[in-house]
Amino acid sequence: MISPVLPTYARAPMSFVEGQGSWLIEESGERYLDLGAGIAVTVLGHAHPALVKALEDQARRLWHTSNLYTIPNQEALAARLVASTFADTVFVTNSGTEAIECAVKMARKHFAEKGEPERYRIISFEGSFHGRSTAAIAASGAEKMVKGFGPVLPGFDVVPFLELAAVEAAITPETCAVMIEPIQGEGGIRPVSPEDLRALRELCDQHGLLLILDEIQCGMGRTGKLFHHEWAGITPDIMTVAKGIGGGFPLGACLATEAAASGMGLGTHGSTYGGNPLACAVANAVMDIVAEKGFLDQVSRAAGRLRQGLEGLVAGHPAVFEGVRGEGLMLGLKCRAMNADVVKAGYAEKVLTVAAADNLVRLLPPLNISDEDIDEGLRRLDAAATALEAAKVPA
Ligand SMILES: *Cc1c(COP(=O)(O)O)cnc(C)c1O
């Protein structure tokens, strides 16, 4: 018999009822160190007092009005995103997938309104993940995501990651945009180098294409800048954000330049919930802290400490790990053992990590994780690796 919850997830056996900072707690009182942060979402840890206060204060005043009316919290959030990024305008959504939908529609509409409706094709990359909508799975092109869901939405040209020659070869008079994650997340923490990001920007400029950056996982301070592309010194035309921006409250956003957004006039797009007063109250509180002076420097310091520790872990367990990759607090342990076994061995040591493609284990801790918790996490991962080695029958 089918379970009351649609059985689409392979879940770990733990279930948590409370969170405190970098820790998750089961009903039994068992505590787990959370180095996954709900897949890069709880950027300020669990139950951060400022976020709790913002949520409670707003909950007592007003939850929802719909976008039939002006929403002051949404106006404030958009204004600060505009002030701190390349963007001139923001559409607020409830999730990453919806931000991607907005980006895809915006890119196509941009050209349609310019009298070039035939330019609707978007170049995307193998191994990418942009969500689970029909457009987002088409952008990824992965067999396991599209299989059985009927005709794949046309208009995506998926090229190998990251072959610039393949990108160039895929450009036709029908191309409107290139869409890429500056660091592939689900695809296995695969960063695009600053040089390649600049080359992509240049290629888009040469051919009059829009550059869409999906910073849903790598953005919101995760790599020590508010958004990762800042390291490369380039700006996109459109950017999608989600995960960390709500700190655990479902929220996403599609940011754009005025030029890129030129087709998105009255009535072209919408959302009932998107940017409601409650969600935006929390997002503004997240922004208050992430934008605070020194916060991002602290992220970089924590990242240095974690990375150094992970390098030591790899050196100490060459049969389990092959290397470390990633940027900031978006790090991956490339495994020699099965990544699923490493994640499981972590559960036994009460430390939570997240598997990714390419036999990787991801570490995406809260951005405000303490040195103590980093060190504790490293000790637990070390114990997990030791247990894995011991479990291996000697050859
Ligand atoms: C998680 C993710 C998405 C999808 O976001 P949802 O909130 O799950 O819809 C899209 N792109 C990237 C890079 C992601 O990591």
Side-chain angles (χ1 to χ4, degrees):
M1 204 167 59
I2 195 165
S3 51
V5 174
L6 192 72
T8 59
Y9 298 109
R11 295 180 199 269
M14 301 82 74
S15 61
F16 300 105
V17 294
E18 202 182 321
Q20 295 169 356
S22 302
W23 295 83
L24 277 169
I25 303 153
E26 289 190 299
E27 189 75 66
S28 64
E30 200 72 75
R31 294 166 65 87
Y32 286 71
L33 184 55
D34 184 8
L35 300 184
I39 318 184
V41 167
T42 49
V43 284
L44 299 177
H46 300 284
H48 189 287
L51 303 196
V52 172
K53 181 170 189 317
L55 184 79
E56 284 182 349
D57 288 352
Q58 188 61 44
R60 270 189 284 273
R61 297 176 59 177
L62 181 65
W63 295 18
H64 178 83
T65 58
S66 88
N67 286 296
L68 292 170
Y69 315 104
T70 301
I71 299 172
N73 289 351
Q74 186 187 122
E75 304 278 325
L77 177 63
R80 55 203 305 187
L81 284 170
V82 164
S84 45
T85 67
F86 72 97
D88 302 311
T89 190
V90 180
F91 184 85
V92 186
T93 68
N94 313 287
S95 69
T97 304
E98 290 166 284
I100 291 288
E101 285 293 322
C102 182
V104 168
K105 288 175 70 177
M106 182 184 284
R108 290 176 169 186
K109 190 79 166 163
H110 171 85
F111 288 100
E113 290 295 305
K114 285 208 316 194
E116 301 175 84
E118 72 286 355
R119 283 181 79 169
Y120 65 89
R121 303 194 69 83
I122 296 175
I123 296 172
S124 55
F125 293 88
E126 286 174 5
S128 65
F129 182 82
H130 300 293
R132 298 291 197 149
S133 68
T134 45
I137 61 177
S140 157
E143 176 77 4
K144 66 173 183 187
M145 273 195 273
V146 301
K147 195 177 168 205
F149 292 113
V152 177
L153 190 77
F156 292 91
D157 296 306
V158 187
V159 302
F161 181 85
L162 176 75
E163 287 176 24
L164 288 172
V167 178
E168 192 150 22
I171 297 172
T172 73
E174 295 185 342
T175 308
C176 70
V178 174
M179 180 162 80
I180 190 164
E181 299 158 81
I183 304 175
Q184 281 195 351
E186 306 304 308
I189 311 289
R190 297 198 289 174
V192 181
S193 69
E195 297 74 44
D196 281 347
L197 269 183
R198 287 194 284 270
L200 273 177
R201 177 69 271 179
E202 205 168 309
L203 202 55
C204 286
D205 290 344
Q206 273 168 15
H207 293 267
L209 309 178
L210 300 175
L211 178 62
I212 304 172
L213 294 184
D214 181 350
E215 293 229 15
I216 290 170
Q217 194 161 147
C218 65
M220 279 312 286
R222 185 143 294 275
T223 68
K225 298 268 190 203
L226 189 54
F227 293 102
H228 182 69
H229 67 263
E230 293 170 32
W231 289 111
I234 56 128
T235 57
D237 301 291
I238 300 174
M239 176 171 72
T240 56
V241 181
K243 293 204 163 86
I245 193 174
F249 201 98
L251 189 100
C254 179
L255 283 63
T257 63
E258 182 167 11
S262 60
M264 301 300 278
L266 268 185
T268 54
H269 199 51
S271 166
T272 299
Y273 288 131
N276 90 359
L278 201 52
C280 290
V282 179
N284 278 312
V286 172
M287 284 293 287
D288 281 342
I289 294 171
V290 173
E292 222 167 65
K293 212 174 162 331
F295 183 88
L296 294 174
D297 296 332
Q298 179 51 35
V299 171
S300 292
R301 272 196 295 276
R305 188 181 189 95
L306 179 58
R307 190 178 192 117
Q308 195 177 18
L310 292 175
E311 300 282 4
L313 188 71
V314 169
H317 301 280
V320 179
F321 303 116
E322 193 178 312
V324 185
R325 67 187 193 220
E327 302 289 337
L329 286 175
M330 185 170 179
L331 294 171
L333 281 167
K334 171 83 172 157
C335 297
R336 287 218 167 82
M338 284 279 297
N339 60 348
D341 292 341
V342 175
V343 170
K344 241 174 128 176
Y347 294 158
E349 299 298 331
K350 311 282 187 280
V351 59
L352 305 176
T353 58
V354 187
D358 202 24
N359 204 32
L360 223 84
V361 169
R362 268 179 292 176
L363 298 143
L364 309 157
L367 302 183
N368 60 354
I369 187 170
S370 67
D371 287 352
E372 266 177 337
D373 286 346
I374 288 174
D375 295 349
E376 183 60 30
L378 290 164
R379 272 193 293 276
R380 290 178 186 220
L381 290 171
D382 185 61
T386 303
L388 266 184
E389 287 158 352
K392 274 258 162 22
V393 182

